Amino acid sequence: MQTRVRRIAVVVATAAMLPLALTACSDSDSKDKASGSASSAASKGSDMASPSDDMNSTDEPFGSACSSVPKDGAGSFDGMAKDPVATAASNNPALSTLVTAVKKAGLVDTLNNAKNITVFAPTNDAFSKIPKADLDKVLNDKAQLTKILTYHVVGQKLAPKDLEKGSFETLEKSKLTTAGSGESYKVNDTANVVCGNVKTANANVYIIDTVLMPKS
């Protein structure tokens, strides 16, 4: 009789403890799931907070000729950004003919002291497309040289998006046109931008592969 009573007591005790055990397991599972959800949310939040690597890519110099710009020193992109445009150009070996022309025309101070301008800068190769006799003649005609060089300067800073379809008055007083998109732009339908959006202290520079000629 006593043995039977003991067995009944054990069964009753076990039955009473079962809900408590199930509740404890349920609480543990809920905490694990909550922890996992929080961890997953934090991970997703971290991914969402990471900025895209190319978010600011449009503000960087672009074009095939940019690779020839020195990586450091005064002629580098960082170096040019510290100097006014004529001085900055003088530190870029690919623009030495342009610099010579600017000096002959007496435009160094004009360009360096100007504020918020855009310069379309022909490379040495661009000048080499002009027959030597004609180039020498222009270089020794200050009035004509000044006319040509000021035609390469616009009196406002132009961002790449401004070049997509634009017409701008130059310092020479006639207009030039631009067209293109992405990293491909033309000026007057003849000159290609080979290294664009180069910053100097007072100008945005677009290096081009052809010398621009005013219409009159």
Side-chain angles (χ1 to χ4, degrees):
M1 183 67 178
Q2 291 180 349
T3 301
R4 186 176 180 183
V5 171
R6 287 175 184 170
R7 287 178 182 173
I8 292 173
V10 169
V11 170
V12 171
T14 301
M17 293 176 65
L18 185 58
L20 294 175
L22 291 174
T23 301
C25 288
S26 176
D27 288 346
S28 176
D29 289 345
S30 297
K31 288 178 181 179
D32 288 344
K33 288 180 181 178
S35 176
S37 298
S39 176
S40 176
S43 176
K44 289 180 180 178
S46 176
D47 291 342
M48 292 174 65
S50 298
S52 173
D53 290 338
D54 61 356
M55 185 176 291
N56 296 318
S57 62
T58 54
D59 199 42
E60 298 296 323
F62 61 85
S64 57
C66 289
S67 60
S68 65
V69 174
K71 301 300 180 186
D72 50 38
S76 67
F77 291 129
D78 288 341
M80 292 176 72
K82 298 175 183 177
D83 292 320
V85 64
T87 302
S90 70
N91 293 319
N92 189 325
L95 301 177
S96 59
T97 304
L98 173 62
V99 172
T100 297
V102 168
K103 289 178 178 178
K104 280 182 171 290
L107 292 173
V108 172
D109 289 341
T110 299
L111 293 177
N112 276 349
N113 293 328
K115 296 186 183 300
N116 299 323
I117 59 175
T118 295
V119 176
F120 294 93
T123 62
N124 296 342
D125 289 341
F127 281 100
S128 71
K129 293 180 181 180
I130 302 173
K132 188 176 185 307
D134 293 341
L135 180 58
D136 289 343
K137 183 178 180 180
V138 169
L139 289 174
N140 289 299
D141 183 339
K142 186 175 180 179
Q144 182 64 14
L145 184 59
T146 299
K147 183 178 179 69
I148 292 172
L149 293 177
T150 53
Y151 184 64
H152 289 74
V153 183
V154 172
Q156 59 180 302
K157 281 189 175 181
L158 301 177
K161 65 179 181 179
D162 297 322
L163 305 186
E164 292 179 0
K165 189 176 181 181
S167 177
F168 307 100
E169 183 170 298
T170 68
L171 296 193
E172 184 268 337
K173 299 303 182 185
S174 59
K175 291 187 176 183
L176 57 77
T177 61
T178 60
S181 63
E183 296 186 356
S184 177
Y185 296 94
K186 279 186 175 291
V187 185
N188 286 355
D189 293 323
T190 57
N192 296 296
V193 174
V194 293
C195 185
N197 206 30
V198 179
K199 306 294 178 61
T200 74
N202 67 329
N204 286 351
V205 177
Y206 294 87
I207 299 174
I208 54 178
D209 65 357
T210 303
V211 177
L212 306 174
M213 294 293 181
K215 293 181 180 179
S216 58

Short mmCIF file of all heavy atoms in Angstrom, two decimals, residues 82-128:
data_model
loop_
_atom_site.label_atom_id
_atom_site.label_comp_id
_atom_site.label_asym_id
_atom_site.label_seq_id
_atom_site.Cartn_x
_atom_site.Cartn_y
_atom_site.Cartn_z
N LYS A 82 46.29 72.68 -55.65
CA LYS A 82 46.78 73.70 -54.73
C LYS A 82 47.22 74.99 -55.44
O LYS A 82 47.40 76.02 -54.80
CB LYS A 82 47.95 73.14 -53.91
CG LYS A 82 47.58 71.95 -53.05
CD LYS A 82 48.81 71.36 -52.38
CE LYS A 82 48.46 70.12 -51.56
NZ LYS A 82 49.66 69.49 -50.95
N ASP A 83 47.41 74.91 -56.78
CA ASP A 83 47.94 76.06 -57.51
C ASP A 83 46.89 76.65 -58.46
O ASP A 83 46.01 75.93 -58.94
CB ASP A 83 49.15 75.65 -58.34
CG ASP A 83 50.36 75.29 -57.50
OD1 ASP A 83 50.59 75.98 -56.49
OD2 ASP A 83 51.07 74.33 -57.84
N PRO A 84 47.00 77.96 -58.77
CA PRO A 84 46.13 78.52 -59.80
C PRO A 84 46.45 77.90 -61.16
O PRO A 84 47.52 77.32 -61.35
CB PRO A 84 46.44 80.01 -59.74
CG PRO A 84 47.80 80.10 -59.15
CD PRO A 84 47.91 78.95 -58.20
N VAL A 85 45.54 78.02 -62.09
CA VAL A 85 45.55 77.17 -63.28
C VAL A 85 46.81 77.27 -64.15
O VAL A 85 47.32 76.25 -64.61
CB VAL A 85 44.27 77.42 -64.12
CG1 VAL A 85 44.20 78.84 -64.67
CG2 VAL A 85 44.17 76.39 -65.22
N ALA A 86 47.33 78.47 -64.40
CA ALA A 86 48.52 78.58 -65.25
C ALA A 86 49.73 77.94 -64.58
O ALA A 86 50.53 77.26 -65.23
CB ALA A 86 48.80 80.05 -65.58
N THR A 87 49.85 78.15 -63.28
CA THR A 87 50.95 77.53 -62.52
C THR A 87 50.78 76.01 -62.50
O THR A 87 51.75 75.27 -62.70
CB THR A 87 50.99 78.07 -61.09
OG1 THR A 87 51.15 79.48 -61.12
CG2 THR A 87 52.12 77.44 -60.29
N ALA A 88 49.56 75.55 -62.28
CA ALA A 88 49.29 74.11 -62.25
C ALA A 88 49.63 73.47 -63.60
O ALA A 88 50.24 72.40 -63.65
CB ALA A 88 47.83 73.87 -61.90
N ALA A 89 49.26 74.12 -64.69
CA ALA A 89 49.55 73.59 -66.02
C ALA A 89 51.05 73.49 -66.27
O ALA A 89 51.53 72.56 -66.93
CB ALA A 89 48.89 74.46 -67.08
N SER A 90 51.80 74.44 -65.73
CA SER A 90 53.25 74.45 -65.95
C SER A 90 53.93 73.25 -65.29
O SER A 90 55.06 72.90 -65.63
CB SER A 90 53.87 75.75 -65.42
OG SER A 90 53.82 75.79 -64.00
N ASN A 91 53.24 72.61 -64.36
CA ASN A 91 53.79 71.44 -63.68
C ASN A 91 53.38 70.12 -64.32
O ASN A 91 53.76 69.05 -63.86
CB ASN A 91 53.35 71.44 -62.20
CG ASN A 91 53.96 72.59 -61.42
OD1 ASN A 91 55.13 72.92 -61.59
ND2 ASN A 91 53.17 73.21 -60.56
N ASN A 92 52.62 70.22 -65.41
CA ASN A 92 52.18 69.02 -66.14
C ASN A 92 52.94 68.94 -67.47
O ASN A 92 52.72 69.76 -68.36
CB ASN A 92 50.67 69.09 -66.40
CG ASN A 92 50.11 67.81 -66.96
OD1 ASN A 92 50.77 67.12 -67.74
ND2 ASN A 92 48.90 67.47 -66.57
N PRO A 93 53.84 67.98 -67.62
CA PRO A 93 54.66 67.89 -68.84
C PRO A 93 53.86 67.80 -70.12
O PRO A 93 54.31 68.27 -71.17
CB PRO A 93 55.47 66.59 -68.61
CG PRO A 93 55.46 66.39 -67.13
CD PRO A 93 54.15 66.90 -66.65
N ALA A 94 52.66 67.25 -70.09
CA ALA A 94 51.84 67.09 -71.29
C ALA A 94 51.26 68.40 -71.78
O ALA A 94 50.70 68.47 -72.88
CB ALA A 94 50.72 66.09 -71.02
N LEU A 95 51.40 69.47 -70.98
CA LEU A 95 50.83 70.77 -71.34
C LEU A 95 51.90 71.83 -71.57
O LEU A 95 51.62 73.02 -71.56
CB LEU A 95 49.87 71.24 -70.24
CG LEU A 95 48.69 70.32 -69.92
CD1 LEU A 95 47.87 70.90 -68.76
CD2 LEU A 95 47.80 70.14 -71.14
N SER A 96 53.12 71.41 -71.84
CA SER A 96 54.23 72.37 -71.95
C SER A 96 54.07 73.33 -73.13
O SER A 96 54.43 74.52 -73.02
CB SER A 96 55.57 71.63 -72.05
OG SER A 96 55.59 70.77 -73.18
N THR A 97 53.53 72.87 -74.26
CA THR A 97 53.33 73.77 -75.41
C THR A 97 52.28 74.82 -75.07
O THR A 97 52.43 76.00 -75.41
CB THR A 97 52.91 72.98 -76.65
OG1 THR A 97 53.87 71.97 -76.93
CG2 THR A 97 52.81 73.91 -77.86
N LEU A 98 51.22 74.39 -74.41
CA LEU A 98 50.18 75.34 -73.98
C LEU A 98 50.77 76.38 -73.05
O LEU A 98 50.49 77.59 -73.18
CB LEU A 98 49.04 74.59 -73.28
CG LEU A 98 47.96 75.45 -72.63
CD1 LEU A 98 47.24 76.30 -73.66
CD2 LEU A 98 46.98 74.58 -71.85
N VAL A 99 51.58 75.96 -72.11
CA VAL A 99 52.20 76.89 -71.16
C VAL A 99 53.08 77.90 -71.89
O VAL A 99 53.06 79.10 -71.58
CB VAL A 99 53.00 76.11 -70.10
CG1 VAL A 99 53.81 77.07 -69.23
CG2 VAL A 99 52.06 75.28 -69.23
N THR A 100 53.84 77.42 -72.87
CA THR A 100 54.67 78.32 -73.67
C THR A 100 53.80 79.36 -74.37
O THR A 100 54.13 80.57 -74.40
CB THR A 100 55.47 77.53 -74.72
OG1 THR A 100 56.37 76.64 -74.05
CG2 THR A 100 56.26 78.45 -75.64
N ALA A 101 52.68 78.91 -74.93
CA ALA A 101 51.78 79.82 -75.64
C ALA A 101 51.18 80.85 -74.68
O ALA A 101 51.08 82.04 -75.00
CB ALA A 101 50.67 79.02 -76.31
N VAL A 102 50.78 80.40 -73.50
CA VAL A 102 50.20 81.30 -72.50
C VAL A 102 51.22 82.37 -72.09
O VAL A 102 50.88 83.55 -71.94
CB VAL A 102 49.72 80.51 -71.27
CG1 VAL A 102 49.40 81.43 -70.11
CG2 VAL A 102 48.50 79.66 -71.62
N LYS A 103 52.46 81.98 -71.94
CA LYS A 103 53.51 82.94 -71.59
C LYS A 103 53.75 83.95 -72.71
O LYS A 103 53.88 85.15 -72.46
CB LYS A 103 54.81 82.20 -71.25
CG LYS A 103 54.76 81.43 -69.94
CD LYS A 103 56.06 80.68 -69.68
CE LYS A 103 56.03 79.95 -68.34
NZ LYS A 103 57.27 79.17 -68.11
N LYS A 104 53.77 83.46 -73.95
CA LYS A 104 53.99 84.35 -75.09
C LYS A 104 52.86 85.36 -75.24
O LYS A 104 53.06 86.51 -75.65
CB LYS A 104 54.13 83.54 -76.38
CG LYS A 104 55.52 82.92 -76.58
CD LYS A 104 55.57 82.18 -77.90
CE LYS A 104 57.00 81.74 -78.22
NZ LYS A 104 57.89 82.87 -78.56
N ALA A 105 51.64 84.93 -74.87
CA ALA A 105 50.49 85.83 -74.98
C ALA A 105 50.35 86.75 -73.77
O ALA A 105 49.51 87.65 -73.75
CB ALA A 105 49.21 85.01 -75.14
N GLY A 106 51.18 86.54 -72.76
CA GLY A 106 51.12 87.37 -71.55
C GLY A 106 49.86 87.12 -70.73
O GLY A 106 49.34 88.04 -70.08
N LEU A 107 49.40 85.85 -70.72
CA LEU A 107 48.14 85.54 -70.04
C LEU A 107 48.31 84.82 -68.70
O LEU A 107 47.32 84.41 -68.09
CB LEU A 107 47.26 84.68 -70.96
CG LEU A 107 46.72 85.36 -72.23
CD1 LEU A 107 46.02 84.33 -73.11
CD2 LEU A 107 45.78 86.50 -71.87
N VAL A 108 49.54 84.66 -68.25
CA VAL A 108 49.76 83.92 -67.01
C VAL A 108 49.02 84.55 -65.85
O VAL A 108 48.26 83.89 -65.12
CB VAL A 108 51.27 83.81 -66.69
CG1 VAL A 108 51.47 83.21 -65.30
CG2 VAL A 108 51.98 82.96 -67.73
N ASP A 109 49.22 85.84 -65.64
CA ASP A 109 48.56 86.52 -64.52
C ASP A 109 47.04 86.57 -64.69
O ASP A 109 46.28 86.43 -63.72
CB ASP A 109 49.11 87.94 -64.35
CG ASP A 109 50.53 87.96 -63.82
OD1 ASP A 109 50.96 86.94 -63.24
OD2 ASP A 109 51.22 88.99 -63.99
N THR A 110 46.61 86.76 -65.94
CA THR A 110 45.16 86.80 -66.21
C THR A 110 44.49 85.50 -65.79
O THR A 110 43.46 85.52 -65.10
CB THR A 110 44.90 87.03 -67.72
OG1 THR A 110 45.47 88.30 -68.09
CG2 THR A 110 43.41 87.04 -68.03
N LEU A 111 45.10 84.38 -66.16
CA LEU A 111 44.52 83.08 -65.82
C LEU A 111 44.66 82.76 -64.33
O LEU A 111 43.75 82.22 -63.71
CB LEU A 111 45.17 81.98 -66.67
CG LEU A 111 44.88 82.04 -68.17
CD1 LEU A 111 45.65 80.95 -68.90
CD2 LEU A 111 43.39 81.89 -68.44
N ASN A 112 45.81 83.08 -63.78
CA ASN A 112 46.04 82.77 -62.35
C ASN A 112 45.16 83.60 -61.43
O ASN A 112 44.80 83.15 -60.34
CB ASN A 112 47.51 82.99 -61.99
CG ASN A 112 48.38 81.79 -62.33
OD1 ASN A 112 47.87 80.71 -62.65
ND2 ASN A 112 49.69 81.97 -62.27
N ASN A 113 44.82 84.81 -61.85
CA ASN A 113 44.03 85.70 -60.99
C ASN A 113 42.52 85.59 -61.23
O ASN A 113 41.73 86.15 -60.48
CB ASN A 113 44.46 87.15 -61.19
CG ASN A 113 45.88 87.40 -60.67
OD1 ASN A 113 46.31 86.77 -59.71
ND2 ASN A 113 46.62 88.29 -61.32
N ALA A 114 42.13 84.90 -62.29
CA ALA A 114 40.70 84.72 -62.57
C ALA A 114 40.08 83.82 -61.51
O ALA A 114 40.76 82.99 -60.89
CB ALA A 114 40.52 84.11 -63.96
N LYS A 115 38.79 83.97 -61.31
CA LYS A 115 38.10 83.17 -60.29
C LYS A 115 37.02 82.32 -60.94
O LYS A 115 36.28 82.78 -61.81
CB LYS A 115 37.48 84.08 -59.22
CG LYS A 115 38.52 84.88 -58.44
CD LYS A 115 37.86 85.65 -57.30
CE LYS A 115 38.88 86.50 -56.55
NZ LYS A 115 39.95 85.68 -55.96
N ASN A 116 36.96 81.06 -60.51
CA ASN A 116 35.90 80.16 -60.95
C ASN A 116 35.76 80.08 -62.47
O ASN A 116 34.73 80.46 -63.04
CB ASN A 116 34.56 80.57 -60.32
CG ASN A 116 34.61 80.51 -58.81
OD1 ASN A 116 35.23 79.63 -58.23
ND2 ASN A 116 33.95 81.47 -58.16
N ILE A 117 36.79 79.59 -63.12
CA ILE A 117 36.77 79.46 -64.57
C ILE A 117 36.93 77.99 -64.96
O ILE A 117 37.26 77.13 -64.14
CB ILE A 117 37.90 80.29 -65.23
CG1 ILE A 117 39.28 79.83 -64.72
CG2 ILE A 117 37.68 81.78 -65.00
CD1 ILE A 117 40.46 80.53 -65.42
N THR A 118 36.68 77.73 -66.24
CA THR A 118 36.94 76.41 -66.82
C THR A 118 37.90 76.59 -67.98
O THR A 118 37.72 77.48 -68.82
CB THR A 118 35.64 75.75 -67.32
OG1 THR A 118 34.79 75.50 -66.20
CG2 THR A 118 35.93 74.43 -68.03
N VAL A 119 38.92 75.75 -68.01
CA VAL A 119 39.92 75.81 -69.09
C VAL A 119 39.92 74.49 -69.84
O VAL A 119 40.05 73.42 -69.25
CB VAL A 119 41.33 76.09 -68.52
CG1 VAL A 119 42.37 76.07 -69.65
CG2 VAL A 119 41.37 77.44 -67.80
N PHE A 120 39.75 74.58 -71.15
CA PHE A 120 39.92 73.42 -72.03
C PHE A 120 41.36 73.47 -72.52
O PHE A 120 41.72 74.34 -73.32
CB PHE A 120 38.91 73.47 -73.17
CG PHE A 120 37.48 73.31 -72.70
CD1 PHE A 120 36.71 74.43 -72.42
CD2 PHE A 120 36.93 72.05 -72.50
CE1 PHE A 120 35.41 74.30 -71.96
CE2 PHE A 120 35.63 71.91 -72.03
CZ PHE A 120 34.86 73.03 -71.75
N ALA A 121 42.17 72.56 -72.01
CA ALA A 121 43.63 72.65 -72.18
C ALA A 121 44.13 71.65 -73.23
O ALA A 121 44.14 70.44 -72.97
CB ALA A 121 44.32 72.40 -70.84
N PRO A 122 44.58 72.14 -74.39
CA PRO A 122 45.10 71.22 -75.41
C PRO A 122 46.44 70.62 -74.99
O PRO A 122 47.30 71.31 -74.44
CB PRO A 122 45.27 72.12 -76.64
CG PRO A 122 44.47 73.35 -76.36
CD PRO A 122 44.52 73.52 -74.87
N THR A 123 46.63 69.36 -75.27
CA THR A 123 47.89 68.69 -74.97
C THR A 123 48.96 69.07 -76.00
O THR A 123 48.67 69.70 -77.03
CB THR A 123 47.71 67.17 -75.02
OG1 THR A 123 47.31 66.80 -76.36
CG2 THR A 123 46.66 66.69 -74.03
N ASN A 124 50.18 68.67 -75.73
CA ASN A 124 51.26 68.86 -76.71
C ASN A 124 50.90 68.19 -78.03
O ASN A 124 51.18 68.73 -79.12
CB ASN A 124 52.58 68.29 -76.17
CG ASN A 124 53.06 69.02 -74.94
OD1 ASN A 124 52.63 70.14 -74.65
ND2 ASN A 124 53.96 68.40 -74.19
N ASP A 125 50.32 67.00 -77.96
CA ASP A 125 49.92 66.29 -79.18
C ASP A 125 48.87 67.06 -79.96
O ASP A 125 48.83 67.00 -81.19
CB ASP A 125 49.39 64.89 -78.82
CG ASP A 125 50.49 63.95 -78.35
OD1 ASP A 125 51.67 64.24 -78.63
OD2 ASP A 125 50.16 62.94 -77.71
N ALA A 126 48.00 67.77 -79.25
CA ALA A 126 46.99 68.58 -79.92
C ALA A 126 47.65 69.68 -80.74
O ALA A 126 47.28 69.93 -81.90
CB ALA A 126 46.04 69.19 -78.89
N PHE A 127 48.65 70.34 -80.16
CA PHE A 127 49.37 71.39 -80.90
C PHE A 127 50.17 70.82 -82.07
O PHE A 127 50.34 71.47 -83.09
CB PHE A 127 50.29 72.17 -79.96
CG PHE A 127 49.58 73.20 -79.12
CD1 PHE A 127 49.23 72.94 -77.80
CD2 PHE A 127 49.25 74.44 -79.65
CE1 PHE A 127 48.58 73.88 -77.02
CE2 PHE A 127 48.60 75.41 -78.88
CZ PHE A 127 48.25 75.13 -77.57
N SER A 128 50.63 69.59 -81.91
CA SER A 128 51.43 68.98 -82.98
C SER A 128 50.60 68.66 -84.22
O SER A 128 51.15 68.40 -85.29
CB SER A 128 52.12 67.71 -82.47
OG SER A 128 51.20 66.67 -82.26
#
